[in-house]
Amino acid sequence: MLITPDFVYLHFAKTGGSFVANHLNKAYPSNSGKVARMLARALGHTTGVINTADYLSWNVPHHAPAGKIPLAFKKKLIVSNIRNPFDRYVSRYYYGGWKIESDHAHRLWPSGFPANWPELSFPEFIESLTDVSTVEGAQSRELKYFFGDAINTVKFLKFESLSQDLYKLLMRFNIDRPEILKNERKLPPTRKETTKIRSTKDKWQSYYDQTLIERVVAAEAYYFKLFPEYLP
């Protein structure tokens, strides 16, 4: 989560959040001081001094959901990213955080780990996360948890046009950062603990057959209801 004087940015995992955060930190070079003073007043610090980084580190995790926005900033515009769920599943598979982080794994498989876990093939990974007989699709559950009732008010930047969307957003607040349009989106570093590396030229379509596509569409009905443009 990043709090700026203009909006609150929520980092929805595997949607290009590192790219956005990097540019926001450059766009708001004095942001920490302004937000620190706002937080200090909100938390009752009469001296008006608080270490924003420490506060956010201890109280607001990196991938904090909307419910964790400090009360003083609840009325601000909420900005986040969204991504084609088929492509996001491929990204999550290659990132492999679920192999080494127990909390991450339990969120993905609340009803218990699938057979062959953690060494799952991609079809096994998808099948285990889209078993509608036991639970709603993993990405739909994430959307509901991460954004809650605020989801209809969020300004979403699309992963597929991230540079342009971020540039237009900042221009709304008279912040002109043309370098955003010149920078290619950078992939975050691959986990050292995992061995799979996805090529930047990969297309999500190469990972799915028709059966897997239909399975994702059925399981992620909530996701596609909100973002029907991602339906195949």
Side-chain angles (χ1 to χ4, degrees), residues 13-204:
K14 314 313 298 173
T15 60
S18 297
F19 175 87
V20 173
N22 177 55
H23 282 291
L24 290 183
N25 284 325
K26 294 176 181 177
Y28 293 93
S30 60
N31 179 50
S32 59
K34 293 179 181 178
V35 175
R37 290 190 291 274
M38 296 168 71
L39 269 174
R41 290 194 297 270
L43 297 173
H45 291 249
T46 55
T47 60
V49 176
I50 187 172
N51 187 316
T52 313
D54 285 348
Y55 176 81
L56 293 179
S57 294
W58 286 101
N59 295 278
V60 184
H62 181 55
H63 290 295
K68 292 290 185 179
I69 298 175
L71 184 61
F73 306 98
K74 288 283 189 183
K75 294 183 179 180
K76 280 189 172 293
L77 171 68
I78 299 174
V79 176
S80 191
N81 300 1
I82 200 66
R83 182 178 187 174
N84 183 312
F86 293 101
D87 193 33
R88 188 167 179 259
Y89 265 135
V90 176
S91 179
R92 296 200 75 165
Y93 179 72
Y94 274 90
Y95 188 62
W98 43 274
K99 290 186 177 183
I100 58 174
E101 298 175 359
S102 60
D103 288 347
H104 187 164
H106 283 291
R107 286 197 301 272
L108 287 177
W109 294 286
S111 302
F113 297 156
N116 301 327
W117 183 91
E119 299 303 326
L120 303 174
S121 67
F122 184 73
E124 288 173 334
F125 179 70
I126 293 298
E127 289 168 3
S128 68
L129 294 177
T130 56
D131 184 359
V132 292
S133 67
T134 58
V135 68
E136 188 175 28
Q139 298 200 56
S140 293
R141 286 187 281 114
E142 284 181 316
L143 279 179
K144 290 180 178 180
Y145 163 75
F146 199 79
F147 297 107
D149 294 338
I151 194 163
N152 292 319
T153 65
V154 176
K155 168 63 178 176
F156 282 104
L157 311 178
K158 288 192 173 182
F159 177 87
E160 298 77 16
S161 55
L162 199 51
S163 297
Q164 296 89 337
D165 288 0
L166 178 58
Y167 178 77
K168 291 176 182 178
L169 171 73
L170 293 178
M171 283 298 292
R172 285 178 52 183
F173 304 104
N174 298 314
I175 299 175
D176 188 4
R177 304 284 296 183
E179 62 270 30
I180 293 174
L181 299 173
K182 300 175 184 178
N183 288 358
E184 293 185 6
R185 185 185 56 80
K186 303 296 184 183
L187 293 174
T190 302
R191 291 261 179 171
K192 293 180 180 180
E193 299 87 344
T194 60
T195 57
K196 297 182 184 296
I197 300 176
R198 184 184 181 189
S199 168
T200 55
K201 297 180 180 180
D202 276 356
K203 301 297 183 183
W204 67 261

Side-chain angles (χ1 to χ4, degrees), residues 85-86 89-90 121-131 204-220 224 232:
F86 293 101
Y89 265 135
V90 176
S121 67
F122 184 73
E124 288 173 334
F125 179 70
I126 293 298
E127 289 168 3
S128 68
L129 294 177
T130 56
D131 184 359
W204 67 261
Q205 290 89 339
S206 66
Y207 292 85
Y208 294 82
D209 59 19
Q210 189 59 34
T211 298
L212 283 183
I213 287 176
E214 292 174 0
R215 190 180 182 100
V216 171
V217 169
E220 303 295 356
F224 288 114

